[in-house]
Structure formats: structure tokens, C-alpha cells
Amino acid sequence: QAQLVESGGGSVQPGGSLRLSCAASGYTYGTRSMGWFRQAPGKEREGVAAINIVDSTKYADSVKGRFTISRDNAKNTLYLQMNNLKPEDTAMYYCAADRPGRPLYLPSRPDEYHYWGQGTQVTVSS
């Protein structure tokens, strides 16, 4: 059974950094694109970043230049390095695995993803 487990969230002051991790198990991690999403209270879930199996990436405009998505296929782990955090980055962050069979695709919408983690909370406040 596939499982994604996020970690690394927490509280940080504006301008600070956090590194999120997502440990994957129960499926062939290295064959699927992966993504990070976030959802703030009262708002829709939005895509933050995505990465395919050849490490091509894409980012939401709001995080470009501040966030970096990466993956370690040997460890079945996805990362999100978040720098220069802003209060508007406060949200629950989720990792997700794409459907099988399209390893070069970079999905944007939540409904394109197959597996989801339970989320890790990020709070940016002074």
C-alpha cells in the first residue's frame, strides 16, 4: 500500500527557512513525478512545485526564487527547501505522487495526482 509521510514543518519568523521532506513507500518511487501543494484555511489547495524523474521542475510564481524542490530516488524521498519565508506561505503542505505511466509530465492540478500524504504545517509569523 502506497504511503507518503511529510515532515519538517514548524513555526518560523519571516525571512527564515525550512526544509520539508516526504518519505515514500509502497510503490516504485523513482518512476513517477512528484509534487508539493499547500492549503491555507478557507482557501483551495494550490500547487507549489513539481519534479519529474529527470529532475525537470516547475514552480508557482509566488515561490519562484525562494523554494527548491528536489528528490533523492535512492532514499525514496522528496524535499522542499523553503527560503525567505513570508507570512503568506503559512499553510498545510502536502506531497503527492503522480499517476503511473507519464514520468516526464509535471502535473499542476491536485486531481492529477494519485497518492497524497497527510500534510505538515508551516507557520510564518513574527
Side-chain angles (χ1 to χ4, degrees), residues 8-91:
S11 295
V12 65
Q13 292 186 341
S17 297
L18 285 173
R19 189 193 196 201
L20 305 184
S21 298
C22 170
S25 61
Y27 73 100
T28 308
Y29 172 78
T31 63
R32 302 192 191 197
S33 294
M34 299 290 294
W36 286 100
F37 287 77
R38 65 186 181 187
Q39 188 167 19
K43 294 188 177 182
E44 292 187 353
R45 191 168 295 191
E46 64 171 349
V48 174
I51 186 168
N52 66 14
I53 67 166
V54 295
D55 291 342
S56 295
T57 59
K58 71 176 180 183
Y59 296 91
D61 288 343
S62 59
V63 307
K64 281 181 182 176
R66 300 189 297 123
F67 291 11
T68 302
I69 188 172
S70 62
R71 63 191 299 166
D72 185 335
N73 290 342
K75 296 182 178 179
N76 286 3
T77 302
L78 179 73
Y79 302 100
L80 185 67
Q81 177 67 43
M82 305 186 295
N83 298 329
N84 190 22
L85 282 159
K86 303 176 180 181
E88 51 263 44
D89 295 318
T90 295

Side-chain angles (χ1 to χ4, degrees), residues 37-41 46 87-94 120-124:
F37 287 77
R38 65 186 181 187
Q39 188 167 19
E46 64 171 349
E88 51 263 44
D89 295 318
T90 295
M92 186 72 78
Y93 283 71
Y94 301 89
T120 185
Q121 178 67 37
V122 171
T123 302
V124 185

